[in-house]
């Protein structure tokens, strides 16, 4: 680099000197030729040198990337093969009607959908009436689509407390088995199982859809927190929350800081769905990168209870 700079400087000096010595034709011509040669050589050398450095950097980056892919590919492939892709989580928060037997509990209406490569023979949805989060640990099997926890003083068999709407695979409603019950840490659980047709199991790639309504205590709380946690690997996830204006929301805070990305976490979007004055009514989280189990997305609603 130093030699190239010196050559360029020498060439420029010669060119300037040649332009000043116009009355001496021979000397001006010689200096002009020497200066042009120095300048051309320096410029070409600098250009080739910069290209060589860039190409070398790209080759090193490519070699490192290929090496990491060779090492991590066998680890990542099984994770992605069992991941839930195109994950969509929609929640509507609305107050109970007048005369409801649980006026302090709002309704949460969910619609969840995703794509998965293979399906088990049965799928399970568990509703836990418990005051202990440890009860969730009993339902970590691959056939469990959803785990939901309610207060231990509520009855999971009451349709006003917990209701499963539809569970569909590839636009086909699954057959529901009679519910069963289990004792869990801090309470009890209702287990609903759905049979998957054999012809749906033999194909690869399925769209799973389910809708559920559950209750959540708010009372006179000025702040409500709605959160969702993933128990499997998830890719291309979107979480949406819509709030009924009757709950009088004043501010909506959206938090996706508790996520654990599997790879580079680029392109995330966390924002209100609508501009003011409706920005307190709906929120959106978009996470196009893969998520590891345990990732948590949360919506915090401040409301007017006066």
């Amino acid at each position: 680099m130093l030699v190239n700079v010196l050559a360029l400087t020498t060439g420029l000096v010669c060119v300037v000197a040649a332009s000043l010595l116009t009355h001496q034709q021979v000397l001006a011509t010689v200096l002009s030729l020497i200066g042009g040669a120095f300048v051309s050589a320096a410029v070409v050398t600098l250009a080739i040198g910069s290209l060589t450095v860039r190409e070398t950097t790209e080759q090193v980056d490519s070699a490192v990337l290929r090496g990491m892919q060779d090492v991590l590919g066998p680890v990542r492939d099984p994770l992605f093969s069992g991941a839930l892709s195109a994950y969509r989580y929609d929640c509507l928060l609305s107050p109970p009607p007048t005369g409801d037997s649980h006026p302090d509990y709002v309704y949460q209406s969910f619609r969840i959908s995703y794509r998965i490569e293979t399906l088990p023979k049965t799928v399970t949805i568990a509703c836990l009436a418990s005051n202990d989060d440890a009860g969730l640990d009993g339902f970590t099997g691959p056939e469990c689509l959803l785990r939901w926890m309610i207060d231990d003083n509520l009855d999971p068999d009451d349709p006003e407390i917990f209701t499963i709407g539809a569970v569909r695979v590839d636009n086909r409603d699954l057959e529901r088995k009679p519910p069963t019950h289990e004792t869990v840490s801090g309470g009890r659980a209702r287990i609903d199982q759905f049979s998957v047709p054999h012809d749906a199991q033999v194909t690869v790639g399925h769209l799973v859809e389910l809708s559920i309504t559950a209750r959540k205590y708010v009372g006179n709380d000025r702040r409500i927190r709605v959160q969702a946690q993933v128990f499997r690997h998830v890719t291309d996830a979107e979480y949406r929350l819509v709030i009924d204006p009757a709950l009088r929301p004043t501010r909506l805070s959206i938090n996706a800081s508790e996520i654990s990305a599997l790879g580079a976490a680029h392109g995330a979007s966390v924002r209100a769905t609508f501009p003011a004055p409706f920005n307190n009514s709906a929120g959106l989280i978009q996470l196009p990168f893969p998520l590891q189990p345990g990732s948590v997305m949360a919506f915090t609603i401040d409301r007017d209870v006066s």
Side-chain angles (χ1 to χ4, degrees):
M1 180 65 71
L2 180 61
V3 172
N4 287 332
V5 172
L6 291 175
L8 181 61
T9 304
T10 302
L12 292 174
V13 169
C14 292
V15 171
V16 172
S19 64
L20 296 176
L21 298 175
T22 54
H23 59 283
Q24 299 184 20
Q25 245 180 349
V26 176
L27 182 59
T29 302
V30 171
L31 289 175
S32 177
L33 292 173
I34 294 174
F38 271 108
V39 170
S40 299
V43 170
V44 171
T45 305
L46 287 171
I48 293 177
S50 63
L51 290 175
T52 303
V53 171
R54 185 166 61 251
E55 290 177 354
T56 302
T57 303
E58 291 177 353
Q59 291 176 358
V60 171
D61 290 343
S62 178
V64 172
L65 179 61
R66 288 197 300 268
M68 292 181 66
Q69 289 175 341
D70 292 340
V71 174
L72 298 178
V75 178
R76 288 167 58 94
D77 289 343
L79 300 180
F80 282 116
S81 63
L84 311 180
S85 61
Y87 191 89
R88 299 295 180 266
Y89 170 102
D90 291 277
C91 175
L92 170 63
L93 209 62
S94 56
T98 303
D100 187 85
S101 56
H102 300 279
D104 292 333
Y105 288 81
V106 297
Y107 279 99
Q108 295 183 103
S109 300
F110 298 92
R111 182 191 178 276
I112 299 173
S113 65
Y114 54 83
R115 301 199 65 86
I116 191 170
E117 290 299 310
T118 58
L119 286 170
K121 296 181 180 179
T122 60
V123 294
T124 304
I125 296 177
C127 177
L128 291 77
S130 175
N131 58 6
D132 189 348
D133 289 341
L136 291 171
D137 297 336
F139 303 95
T140 56
E143 72 280 359
C144 190
L145 288 182
L146 180 72
R147 281 156 282 180
W148 190 259
M149 179 177 285
I150 59 176
D151 290 349
D152 57 348
N153 62 306
L154 300 179
D155 183 5
D157 291 320
D158 185 350
E160 296 293 326
I161 299 299
F162 184 80
T163 302
I164 301 174
V167 178
R168 312 184 69 184
V169 172
D170 299 332
N171 296 319
R172 298 171 57 178
D173 290 321
L174 299 186
E175 180 183 354
R176 183 182 306 187
K177 299 179 180 180
T180 60
H181 299 81
E182 292 184 15
T183 300
V184 297
S185 178
R188 65 193 185 93
R190 167 183 168 142
I191 316 299
D192 287 274
Q193 292 188 324
F194 300 79
S195 300
V196 178
H198 176 71
D199 56 345
Q201 301 174 42
V202 297
T203 58
V204 177
H206 305 279
L207 173 64
V208 179
E209 303 170 274
L210 57 144
S211 59
I212 290 175
T213 299
R215 303 296 290 269
K216 178 180 180 61
Y217 177 83
V218 296
N220 290 321
D221 293 347
R222 295 180 179 273
R223 177 165 292 178
I224 306 172
R225 178 181 172 90
V226 177
Q227 72 176 35
Q229 183 176 10
V230 296
F231 293 90
R232 297 181 61 174
H233 292 94
V234 172
T235 65
D236 185 24
E238 290 187 9
Y239 291 80
R240 304 182 185 93
L241 174 70
V242 179
I243 308 164
D244 193 308
L247 292 174
R248 294 183 288 182
T250 59
R251 186 177 66 172
L252 174 61
S253 302
I254 308 168
N255 182 13
S257 61
E258 298 179 52
I259 60 174
S260 179
L262 183 64
H266 296 304
S269 177
V270 179
R271 65 186 188 276
T273 305
F274 307 116
F278 304 104
N279 55 327
N280 297 329
S281 301
L284 172 65
I285 300 174
Q286 292 176 309
L287 306 171
F289 46 83
L291 301 178
Q292 296 190 60
S295 299
V296 176
M297 280 57 65
F299 300 87
T300 304
I301 306 124
D302 292 332
R303 64 190 189 113
D304 180 11
V305 296
S306 59

